[in-house]
Amino acid sequence: MILVFGKTGQVAKELQNFGSDVLALGRDMADLSNPITCKAVIKKLAPKVVINAAAYTSVEKSEENEDLATIINGHAPFIIAQTCAEINIPLVHISSDYVFEGLGELPWKPWDKTIPQNAYGRSKLVGEKGILSSGANYVILRTSWVISAHGNNFVKNMLHLSNSHDTLNIVGDQIGGPTPASCIASACLIIAKQIQQDPLKSGIYHYSGKPNVSWAELATKIFTGVGQFINVNPIKTSEYSTIAKRPLNSQLDCSTTISTFGIEQPDWHMELKNILKELM
């Protein structure tokens, strides 16, 4: 059995499509705001592998609730990893490009210095450090700009806004790789199988879609994909007021994921067509 923390999130939803061997737990069975419940359920179910796809994902609310975000994104993954180490099973944990400072123009490598610029990024980094110290057989998989037909994400937000707007101001100076949740789910399962067989592959890896684009460019592709004629006006991050500071550079270097696990970066164009078809 593959035990998944998270049930309603984008990646967790997709993981449940991969067969009856996947058991996804919601808050009623494992509440990451009370990490000890995670330890108890792992020991009770004794799975072959654990995938942590649960997180406090609201970047804006994390600024106001950093303590809670740190428990869910930081302390809980540490307890999960410790428990996996105790019973000798591997852990795949999903993290974020937000652990970096988000400057420059080059894609971030897994070993680059982490300098999170907001509460969400700080909470995710606490989780990473906890896993590194746990003694577990692990892979931390950092990803970015997750898109799917489920949950709250940029694609669904754009479609919603297009119902009442002919022109939209969209940030054009933040660059990243949109990453389909279905591809992340598939990558997690491939990685889980391989680190079961070869613990030496443990480490931090990156996985994002290609090519890299701006939010404004992605929005244009979304509207084109559903045949809507919306005028997208690219604006600077400084012109778009948010509580949390957002990275300008979310590009991820995925070369070690390709060389170690044989997992190529997905072309998000093709996956976006499937997402839009499902939503429409």
Side-chain angles (χ1 to χ4, degrees):
M1 176 184 64
I2 298 168
L3 181 62
V4 175
F5 285 99
K7 192 169 186 178
T8 59
Q10 295 186 77
V11 178
K13 276 279 193 183
E14 296 293 345
L15 280 164
Q16 293 168 73
N17 294 327
F18 281 88
S20 58
D21 197 35
V22 175
L23 176 61
L25 304 181
R27 291 179 192 169
D28 56 331
M29 294 188 68
D31 185 353
L32 271 70
S33 66
N34 182 14
I36 199 67
T37 64
C38 302
K39 181 184 185 76
V41 77
I42 294 171
K43 290 205 166 184
K44 178 182 177 181
L45 296 174
K48 294 184 300 182
V49 63
V50 171
I51 298 174
N52 182 28
Y56 190 101
T57 56
S58 175
V59 176
E60 294 298 287
K61 289 181 180 179
S62 292
E63 295 296 319
E64 302 167 354
N65 301 289
E66 187 166 359
D67 288 346
L68 178 59
T70 302
I71 291 171
I72 294 173
N73 295 342
H75 300 163
F78 172 55
I79 295 297
I80 290 170
Q82 269 192 329
T83 311
C84 289
E86 287 175 18
I87 61 176
N88 196 29
I89 59 173
L91 167 67
V92 179
H93 171 76
I94 299 171
S95 193
S96 168
D97 69 280
Y98 275 54
V99 298
F100 297 114
E101 64 180 336
L103 300 177
E105 297 181 355
L106 295 176
W108 296 104
K109 293 178 171 62
W111 50 86
D112 283 337
K113 188 174 182 179
T114 50
I115 312 175
Q117 297 296 297
N118 55 41
Y120 173 73
R122 289 191 293 271
S123 72
K124 295 297 285 185
L125 186 57
V126 169
E128 289 191 8
K129 289 182 176 179
I131 293 169
L132 288 171
S133 69
S134 69
N137 173 14
Y138 72 91
V139 160
I140 294 169
L141 190 66
R142 295 183 184 134
T143 189
S144 65
W145 293 24
V146 183
I147 58 173
S148 73
H150 313 290
N152 297 316
N153 63 71
F154 186 78
V155 177
K156 293 176 74 174
N157 289 341
M158 289 300 101
L159 293 178
H160 175 72
L161 288 171
S162 70
N163 291 327
S164 55
H165 295 77
D166 294 324
T167 298
L168 288 169
N169 294 331
I170 308 294
V171 172
D173 60 352
Q174 293 176 23
I175 308 298
T179 316
S182 59
C183 298
I184 299 172
S186 176
C188 285
L189 293 171
I190 293 170
I191 288 169
K193 183 176 181 179
Q194 291 194 33
I195 61 172
Q196 275 184 293
Q197 299 168 347
D198 186 0
L200 292 178
K201 291 184 176 182
S202 286
I204 300 176
Y205 296 88
H206 289 171
Y207 184 70
S208 63
K210 64 178 184 181
N212 292 308
V213 291
S214 69
W215 289 117
E217 289 170 317
L218 178 56
T220 300
K221 289 292 184 182
I222 292 167
F223 299 137
T224 301
V226 294
Q228 290 183 309
F229 298 97
I230 307 295
N231 179 40
V232 174
N233 179 36
I235 61 172
K236 293 182 178 180
T237 298
S238 58
E239 299 176 74
Y240 184 68
S241 178
T242 58
I243 299 172
K245 186 176 180 180
R246 306 290 176 128
L248 296 177
N249 178 16
S250 288
Q251 300 174 94
L252 295 175
D253 184 323
C254 304
S255 57
T256 56
T257 307
I258 298 169
S259 62
T260 304
F261 298 105
I263 302 172
E264 297 286 342
Q265 290 181 262
D267 184 335
W268 59 263
H269 291 99
M270 296 301 298
E271 294 299 327
L272 178 61
K273 290 180 181 178
N274 295 331
I275 292 168
L276 294 175
K277 184 178 180 180
E278 186 172 349
L279 286 172
M280 300 303 289

